[in-house]
Amino acid sequence: MSRYSARRRRNALSAALSVAATVLGIGSLVLILGALLWQGTSGLSATIFTEMTPPPGANGGLLNAIIGSLLMTALAVLIGTPLGLLAGTYLAEYGRNSRFASVVRFVNDVLLSAPSIVIGLFVYEILVVALGHFSGYAGAAALALIVIPVVVRTTEDMLLLVPNQLREAAASVGMPSAVMITRIAYRAARAGMLTGILLAIARISGETAPLLFTALNNQFFSVDMSQPMASLPVVIFQFALSPYAQWQQLAWTGALIITLAVLALNIVARGVAAARRSS
């Protein structure tokens, strides 16, 4: 009886600690989101999307930062997604257990867990120093290096979930491997692959460190990606540390915009994954 009572006490203690940890984590998240909504919505207006970042002490918006973030993110996805899809396809369909595939997986895992500031420093040495100036292209290249390992991992995992019987059926009718991959494997795994791409976009949406070393910033509106370019994460970083109330308010609003964008991408990704499971 005493041993049973001791087990019940340990079980009750473990359950209480688990509930306390859950409440602490969720409570912290609620406090952060509450502060972000409270501070960010007060500065949300049409001028945020129509005016440039202002000089100190003046009012303005975030148009140049929003456009810069969209351009660099779009270019990064255009560069990183095809490379990630092809590399993931090789690992799942061609390499699998080969030594070279093991090396590629190891390098991909290193990139996946590498701090983004390291990637920013790498691109700084390769592009910024070589070209002699910061640019939106360098920022997009840094973001693409973050996109690639995410897409590689999700593509490989989703293709490995495709039943081998489908591959064997395609081979039995003489279908070439490339045709089998594009017409059968990709179709069966497309929902998961699309989810990985959306998660990669969400990952790079708030990256600041690599852009500080590559795109830097630009107070003026510009779509010339060969020159320094503004971005929301960098503007938020600089304005949040400033002593000016107008800049701090813009930082809160910019953070709210990024949070809502990432939330929307995650909801879409979960919806795509749920649709795949139901089908």
Side-chain angles (χ1 to χ4, degrees):
M1 185 64 181
S2 60
R3 186 177 299 177
Y4 175 70
S5 300
R7 288 200 301 266
R8 290 195 62 181
R9 285 195 297 270
R10 287 195 297 269
N11 180 70
L13 178 61
S14 300
L17 291 176
S18 299
V19 172
T22 303
V23 171
L24 179 62
I26 295 178
S28 301
L29 179 61
V30 169
L31 288 176
I32 293 172
L33 292 178
L36 181 60
L37 288 172
W38 179 265
Q39 298 285 350
T41 52
S42 61
L44 199 60
S45 63
T47 58
I48 295 295
F49 305 98
T50 57
E51 295 186 9
M52 309 300 126
T53 49
N59 295 319
L62 298 169
L63 176 61
N64 53 330
I66 293 172
I67 296 299
S69 289
L70 290 176
L71 288 175
M72 286 187 285
T73 300
L75 183 57
V77 173
L78 288 176
I79 295 173
T81 299
L83 294 176
L85 291 175
L86 291 175
T89 301
Y90 169 78
L91 294 176
E93 300 293 340
Y94 294 101
R96 289 228 175 174
N97 300 320
S98 67
R99 181 173 300 179
F100 179 70
S102 299
V103 173
V104 173
R105 287 190 188 95
F106 174 76
V107 173
N108 187 73
D109 290 340
V110 171
L111 277 176
L112 193 61
S113 58
S116 59
I117 191 171
V118 176
I119 296 176
L121 284 171
F122 171 75
V123 177
Y124 174 82
E125 289 292 335
I126 298 299
L127 290 180
V128 177
V129 173
L131 296 176
H133 61 85
F134 299 96
S135 67
Y137 289 122
L143 296 179
L145 289 178
I146 300 175
V147 169
I148 291 173
V150 178
V151 178
V152 170
R153 170 61 64 84
T154 54
T155 299
E156 181 186 8
D157 290 344
M158 292 303 104
L159 288 176
L160 289 176
L161 292 177
V162 177
N164 284 327
Q165 289 82 352
L166 295 178
R167 298 179 177 87
E168 294 169 358
S172 67
V173 297
M175 185 177 293
S177 296
V179 178
M180 180 274 296
I181 292 171
T182 55
R183 294 189 178 182
I184 296 177
Y186 279 176
R187 288 186 179 182
R190 60 184 175 186
M193 294 164 64
L194 178 59
T195 301
I197 297 171
L198 293 176
L199 292 177
I201 297 173
R203 165 79 188 278
I204 64 175
S205 297
E207 288 292 347
T208 304
L211 297 181
L212 284 171
F213 291 95
T214 53
L216 195 60
N217 198 7
N218 192 341
Q219 187 177 350
F220 306 101
F221 182 85
S222 175
V223 293
D224 184 4
M225 297 193 67
S226 63
Q227 299 299 320
M229 181 167 283
S231 62
L232 265 179
V234 173
V235 168
I236 292 169
F237 172 75
Q238 293 180 343
F239 282 13
L241 297 179
S242 72
Y244 307 106
Q246 294 89 344
W247 280 16
Q248 293 174 2
Q249 181 58 63
L250 286 174
W252 280 108
T253 305
L256 177 62
I257 293 173
I258 288 182
T259 302
L260 294 177
V262 172
L263 177 62
L265 286 173
N266 278 276
I267 291 174
V268 172
R270 288 180 178 273
V272 171
R276 175 183 177 275
R277 286 194 297 268
S278 62
S279 60

